Amino acid sequence: MAETPPAVLPTGYRFHPTEEELLTCYLKNKIEGNDSLINNTISQIHLYSFDPWDLPAQSKVKSDDSEWFFFNELKYTTEKNSRCERKTNGGYWKITGKDRQIKTTGTDNVIGTKKTLVFYNNRPDSVKTNWVMHEYHALNHQNVERDS
């Protein structure tokens, strides 16, 4: 099947979904196999094959915004381990802070969680960078990640 070309957006358009929209519209359609509804918007990539500065080129929605969206299937370090492999060629993504719950607007209905990760360069000593990623998990489903 041919790759869908990047979306060309009209002047002034910004792709800026809320966390709830990411989970209920985009990730839900991905999980349910309705890829045709989201193919022009969010790329499916192996996120950790890229250093953060290489990610903008992988985004389907091209813009000057410093925020990009990707679907990524997590790879675990071992089958029995719940730790995810988050190394890239140039460094690694480290989880920072606590997972936050995402709720449906105006309710206490939790629809997913959000992890915040920071990128560290591989040097003789790991050096924290300004690259931040938000990793979204729908309850009992796959993940969508946002890099900024």
Side-chain angles (χ1 to χ4, degrees), residues 18 27 48 68 71 96 119 125 128 137 140:
T18 64
L27 187 53
Y48 305 107
W68 307 278
F71 289 111
T96 182
F119 188 76
D125 296 319
K128 184 178 178 178
H137 300 261
N140 303 316

Side-chain angles (χ1 to χ4, degrees), residues 15-24 26-28 30-31 42 47-48 67-74 76 84 86 95 99-103 111-117 132-148:
F15 180 70
H16 193 71
T18 64
E19 293 176 336
E20 183 178 356
E21 290 167 339
L22 279 173
L23 291 171
T24 60
Y26 294 96
L27 187 53
K28 179 182 176 199
K30 182 69 174 174
I31 291 166
I42 301 178
L47 191 70
Y48 305 107
E67 189 172 69
W68 307 278
F69 297 85
F70 304 97
F71 289 111
N72 177 58
E73 191 169 328
L74 293 175
Y76 294 94
C84 295
R86 293 190 171 97
I95 297 173
D99 288 6
R100 286 168 279 175
Q101 294 182 337
I102 300 171
K103 299 178 181 181
I111 57 174
T113 60
K114 173 182 171 179
K115 292 181 185 298
T116 300
L117 298 93
V132 175
M133 176 170 32
H134 300 286
E135 184 179 275
Y136 294 89
H137 300 261
L139 292 183
N140 303 316
H141 294 294
Q142 297 176 11
N143 312 307
V144 65
E145 297 176 3
R146 176 172 73 187
D147 178 43
S148 56

Side-chain angles (χ1 to χ4, degrees), residues 20-87:
E20 183 178 356
E21 290 167 339
L22 279 173
L23 291 171
T24 60
C25 298
Y26 294 96
L27 187 53
K28 179 182 176 199
N29 278 311
K30 182 69 174 174
I31 291 166
E32 292 176 353
N34 299 326
D35 290 356
S36 63
L37 299 174
I38 55 175
N39 272 346
N40 291 332
T41 325
I42 301 178
S43 301
Q44 170 80 41
I45 65 170
H46 185 275
L47 191 70
Y48 305 107
S49 296
F50 302 95
D51 289 315
W53 45 88
D54 296 326
L55 288 170
Q58 304 304 313
S59 179
K60 291 215 174 171
V61 176
K62 305 298 181 193
S63 76
D64 293 334
D65 291 342
S66 59
E67 189 172 69
W68 307 278
F69 297 85
F70 304 97
F71 289 111
N72 177 58
E73 191 169 328
L74 293 175
K75 287 176 102 177
Y76 294 94
T77 53
T78 65
E79 288 182 28
K80 296 179 181 180
N81 196 339
S82 62
R83 289 185 55 161
C84 295
E85 180 66 48
R86 293 190 171 97
K87 292 179 186 175

